[in-house]
Amino acid sequence: MQLNGQHFDDASVPLVLDEDGYPRNPLALLDLGDPDVLERLPGAPRDGGRIMVGVARGPLPATAVPLLAMLDCTLVEGPPPGDADPRTYVPVADARMSAERLGRSVRGAPLAALTLAGLLRATEQLPVSEGLGAESAAYSTLLAGPEFAVWRAGRPRRPGSSSADPVLVHRDGGLLRVELNRPGRRNAFSAALRDGLVEALEIARLDDTVTGVELSGRGPAFCSGGDLDEFGTTPDPATAHVLRLRQSAGAAVDRCRERVHARLHGACVGAGIEVPAFAGRITAHPDTFFQLPELSMGLIPGAGGTVSITHRIGRWRTAFMALTGERLDAGTAQDWGLVDHLAVHG
């Protein structure tokens, strides 16, 4: 992979579709160390439709800082100028290697990747309710797409398992303790768990004597993400869209966000970080890691993450997490603002 001016030339070319309507050139990598790229970048078409990723194999030039807002993500190997908004770039140890990983992910699911990039530009600006509507519509569309169909066909569903009480609720004075209770499945976010969580948070919404809500999970992980065996089981994408909006756990958290304290540990994958990211306060154990793996399934975050995570860390770093599927450790999550505090060991 060469990182030079030719990638800017690629970026100036609009998205090209093959005869079946499938994207042929979804990604443009821009070498931000090339003065020619920086000179011509402001003139690049904003309606080209491609994912534009900046790459700095060394310190980010000061002249590149005003241009970062035009990009979907920027990978920076060296220290950036002091006036650069840290949310607009991702520090990496090896920009070339990170760019190659990102490229492989995008090429593996270009429809989902392009949908994600366009959606993040919108949800960055939208209020929560409108952002959730836009995300759900995009997610439902991809459920009917070829990339998700390939993933679903290659993953046999396992026999279902259930818990009598997937969500436990305990009142302690003014504190409402809400605990995810599918430890044997690492609190996989099933429809039953989602509905139980929405019902529990409705208590806080309707009862103003609830002064605080503590959200946690039993077992080795807070939440390992959506229950994969339930993906694509709704009758049709339109029904899935309506159900997702009506039973949105993220919206339920957001409605009482100032009172919600999420306590996270272990795996926080997909919905396991998308939903608690709406909370007013997040504390994570040092062993916690965060991941958005949906692109590998031909999907995008669908539990509110394009809204909640974007509002916390910006669309550029959200794009990095979702386009690469890489794990984020607790320390980096705190540095980025994805979590507010790290718990004391033990």
Side-chain angles (χ1 to χ4, degrees):
M1 176 181 295
Q2 295 181 351
L3 302 177
N4 53 42
Q6 74 180 53
H7 290 286
F8 174 77
D9 294 334
D10 289 345
S12 68
V13 176
L15 182 68
V16 176
L17 305 179
D18 65 19
E19 59 185 12
D20 296 319
Y22 206 65
R24 294 174 55 186
N25 59 337
L27 179 67
L29 294 174
L30 311 181
D31 181 3
L32 299 183
D34 186 331
D36 289 339
V37 168
L38 300 181
E39 181 180 350
R40 291 182 289 170
L41 183 55
R46 299 307 299 138
D47 58 352
R50 302 176 68 194
I51 301 168
M52 298 176 67
V53 175
V55 180
R57 300 196 66 204
L60 183 69
T63 50
V65 172
L67 306 176
L68 298 183
M70 298 181 61
L71 306 179
D72 295 296
C73 183
T74 297
L75 310 173
V76 178
E77 208 171 276
D83 61 344
D85 180 352
R87 303 196 331 161
T88 61
Y89 63 87
V90 178
V92 295
D94 188 321
R96 180 188 294 271
M97 183 178 298
S98 294
E100 289 176 346
R101 286 198 298 265
L102 190 150
R104 285 194 297 271
S105 296
V106 170
R107 289 189 295 272
L111 295 176
L114 288 164
T115 300
L116 174 77
L119 180 64
L120 290 178
R121 297 186 203 109
T123 56
E124 177 187 37
Q125 307 292 334
L126 291 174
V128 169
S129 59
E130 287 86 346
L132 288 174
E135 177 189 277
S136 179
Y139 185 91
S140 294
T141 299
L142 292 170
L143 280 176
E147 293 166 354
F148 174 70
V150 169
W151 177 85
R152 183 70 278 175
R155 183 185 173 88
R157 289 189 175 92
R158 297 169 295 176
S161 63
S162 62
S163 170
D165 296 299
V167 176
L168 302 178
V169 183
H170 175 70
R171 182 75 180 262
D172 185 6
L175 179 64
L176 188 71
R177 300 184 188 275
V178 179
E179 191 173 35
L180 308 187
N181 185 40
R182 297 186 75 200
R185 294 292 294 269
R186 299 170 69 84
N187 294 321
F189 205 78
S190 64
L193 187 147
R194 176 203 63 203
D195 292 346
L197 180 55
V198 170
E199 183 178 350
L201 292 169
E202 188 72 355
I203 298 171
R205 187 182 74 84
L206 296 173
D207 186 350
D208 58 10
T209 67
V210 174
T211 57
V213 178
E214 185 175 276
L215 177 61
S216 62
R218 281 195 170 187
F222 172 76
C223 176
S224 59
D227 191 324
L228 301 184
D229 296 317
E230 294 187 1
F231 278 34
T233 57
T234 48
D236 57 80
T239 301
H241 173 59
V242 172
L243 287 174
R244 193 173 299 107
L245 290 181
R246 181 176 177 178
Q247 291 295 98
S248 171
V253 173
D254 184 68
R255 284 192 287 266
C256 49
R257 62 174 293 110
E258 296 305 324
R259 290 179 286 167
V260 179
H261 181 189
R263 295 185 175 275
L264 310 182
H265 71 285
C268 293
V269 178
I273 182 55
E274 297 175 57
V275 172
F278 283 105
R281 183 184 178 195
I282 300 178
T283 299
H285 190 276
D287 73 354
T288 312
F289 71 86
F290 307 90
Q291 189 175 17
L292 298 176
E294 291 88 351
L295 194 71
S296 65
M297 308 169 199
L299 297 172
I300 60 174
T306 67
V307 179
S308 61
I309 298 175
T310 297
H311 286 185
R312 276 185 167 266
I313 69 174
R315 65 173 171 86
W316 301 269
R317 289 180 170 181
T318 303
F320 175 79
M321 290 184 66
L323 290 175
T324 65
E326 293 186 12
R327 290 186 178 187
L328 200 69
D329 62 62
T332 302
Q334 184 185 34
D335 290 342
W336 287 12
L338 185 57
V339 302
D340 302 302
H341 308 282
L342 295 186
V344 177
H345 283 275

